[in-house]
Amino acid sequence: MRRLFGVLPGPAPVRVLLMIILFAVGLVALGFLFDAAGDLLDNGGTIG
Amino acid sequence: MHTRVADSEDLLPDPEVVKEPVRPMRFVRGAGWTMIGAGALILAFLAYQLLFTNLLNSRSQSQAETALEERFEEARVAPLEPIVLTPLGPPSTIGQDEPEVPVTTPISFFEEALPEIGTAFGRIVIPKIDLDVVIFEGVERDTLKQGPGHMPWTPLPGQAGNAVISGHRTTYGAPFYDLDAMEPGDEIFVETLIGQSTYVVREILIVKPTDVWVTDNRPGAWLTLTTCNPRFSARERLIIVAEMVDGPNFEYAQALLDGVIEGAGF
């Protein structure tokens, strides 16, 4: 995290904002990934 | 006594000696962090699937309860008018005994229009497995997250033909979690705009996910429930086939079955 913070451009407040955005994007991506992987456990039982 | 003051070269570790243990240590540390990360990811995945999806479903169901209550309230104010059908006449008796009671009275048929995709349109109650949930129109991913969904290309529950409802087994509220406990003879109640229909389980099957024949239409009035099998796997499908034994359209379905009247879709 610290390394990532160091790599980000701009002054500290901008970096914090970018970190928050990256975190949100990561969460959404993780949600999609979990949803897709969840189909292996239970895809709703549809036929066809 | 002579003492030698250590110079800076003496304090530095011999590079040959130090480098060797550092490499495996780095590898072990890296592998350790990778495993911790993977474990955290798996735990997060399980928490998402088994807890978070249930929370999402619980919220959807409670909103759907309100919507369904409004829908039913509107139906109470302006109830659906039955379509009265006149029987074709007594079935052919050539080569058979005379029917004891020839069908002469008109038969009422309650038609219900297909709701829009994603609409909460009814309720399924299975006392045996303590299930009482709102059902939705459609079997898209987002619809099934809210609750069991009706396959739009099959008749609605309560109508003649084979109505098919699919539902999650282990995630998103897991409405069909205990469906494997169902046995022939168990009752299933479905309430829609036309009223409550009662079904009795006749058959329990385990099929492949591609066995679409289970959704085929059939004479009479049927309800087919489908879900994943076994639990925590989408490898197979558990199918519960139930026959209507009571409801607003029961007489109509029986008349269709007996060939006393003609209906669409058969």
Side-chain angles (χ1 to χ4, degrees):
Chain A
M1 292 287 271
R2 252 184 231 167
R3 248 185 236 173
L4 180 65
F5 190 78
V7 170
L8 291 174
V14 175
R15 288 182 188 189
V16 170
L17 191 70
L18 283 174
M19 284 290 278
I20 292 169
I21 292 169
L22 280 177
F23 184 71
V25 169
L27 268 187
V28 171
L30 209 60
F32 277 111
L33 180 76
F34 283 179
D35 245 7
D39 279 357
L40 299 172
L41 292 183
D42 179 356
N43 67 356
T46 52
I47 296 276
Chain B
M1 194 173 174
H2 176 74
T3 51
R4 190 172 78 88
V5 177
D7 58 21
S8 59
E9 273 185 20
D10 289 340
L11 292 173
L12 284 173
D14 183 354
E16 291 301 313
V17 177
V18 174
K19 266 186 184 171
E20 282 309 309
V22 161
R23 270 186 194 155
M25 277 304 289
R26 263 192 183 175
F27 174 75
V28 169
R29 193 176 297 158
W33 278 113
T34 306
M35 279 191 253
I36 289 171
L41 206 64
I42 291 169
L43 277 180
F45 172 68
L46 291 176
Y48 178 85
Q49 288 295 330
L50 305 176
L51 301 173
F52 186 67
T53 61
N54 288 349
L55 287 176
L56 287 178
N57 175 268
S58 166
R59 203 178 64 173
S60 299
Q61 279 285 320
S62 99
Q63 285 170 352
E65 288 271 358
T66 316
L68 188 67
E69 204 43 55
E70 283 170 13
R71 191 179 163 87
F72 282 173
E73 192 54 46
E74 281 170 22
R76 270 179 219 119
V77 174
L80 288 173
E81 286 295 322
I83 298 163
V84 180
L85 300 163
T86 312
L88 299 169
S92 169
T93 55
I94 299 166
Q96 295 174 17
D97 295 334
E98 280 290 322
E100 284 178 12
V101 185
V103 182
T104 51
T105 50
I107 295 162
S108 298
F109 160 53
F110 294 84
E111 193 177 25
E112 184 176 351
L114 274 180
E116 278 181 33
I117 298 290
T119 307
F121 74 92
R123 171 184 296 286
I124 184 166
V125 179
I126 309 179
K128 173 81 179 274
I129 59 171
D130 204 21
L131 178 78
D132 182 348
V133 287
V134 175
I135 47 179
F136 296 80
E137 180 62 10
V139 286
E140 293 72 26
R141 221 175 193 204
D142 286 341
T143 306
L144 290 175
K145 285 177 181 177
Q146 302 179 75
H150 165 250
M151 286 187 184
W153 53 92
T154 66
L156 279 175
Q159 301 293 323
N162 184 22
V164 183
I165 293 178
S166 300
H168 278 285
R169 185 90 190 267
T170 49
T171 58
Y172 291 99
F176 290 164
Y177 187 84
D178 286 324
L179 213 58
D180 57 336
M182 298 294 283
E183 290 170 314
D186 289 338
E187 286 184 319
I188 299 172
F189 303 97
V190 181
E191 190 183 2
T192 64
L193 278 186
I194 63 166
Q196 182 175 280
S197 303
T198 307
Y199 294 85
V200 167
V201 175
R202 298 287 186 225
E203 214 176 347
I204 297 150
L205 307 164
I206 290 174
V207 301
K208 288 180 196 159
T210 50
D211 283 339
V212 289
W213 57 266
V214 298
T215 67
D216 287 351
N217 214 352
R218 46 168 89 190
W222 298 82
L223 176 69
T224 299
L225 305 181
T226 76
T227 193
C228 291
N229 192 68
R231 283 183 192 131
F232 303 105
S233 167
R235 200 176 64 227
E236 300 165 336
R237 295 289 179 269
L238 172 65
I239 310 292
I240 304 290
V241 183
E243 186 180 14
M244 188 194 281
V245 293
D246 193 21
N249 278 333
F250 177 63
E251 256 186 46
Y252 168 72
Q254 285 300 306
L256 275 179
L257 196 60
D258 298 340
V260 176
I261 54 168
E262 283 176 347
F266 291 92

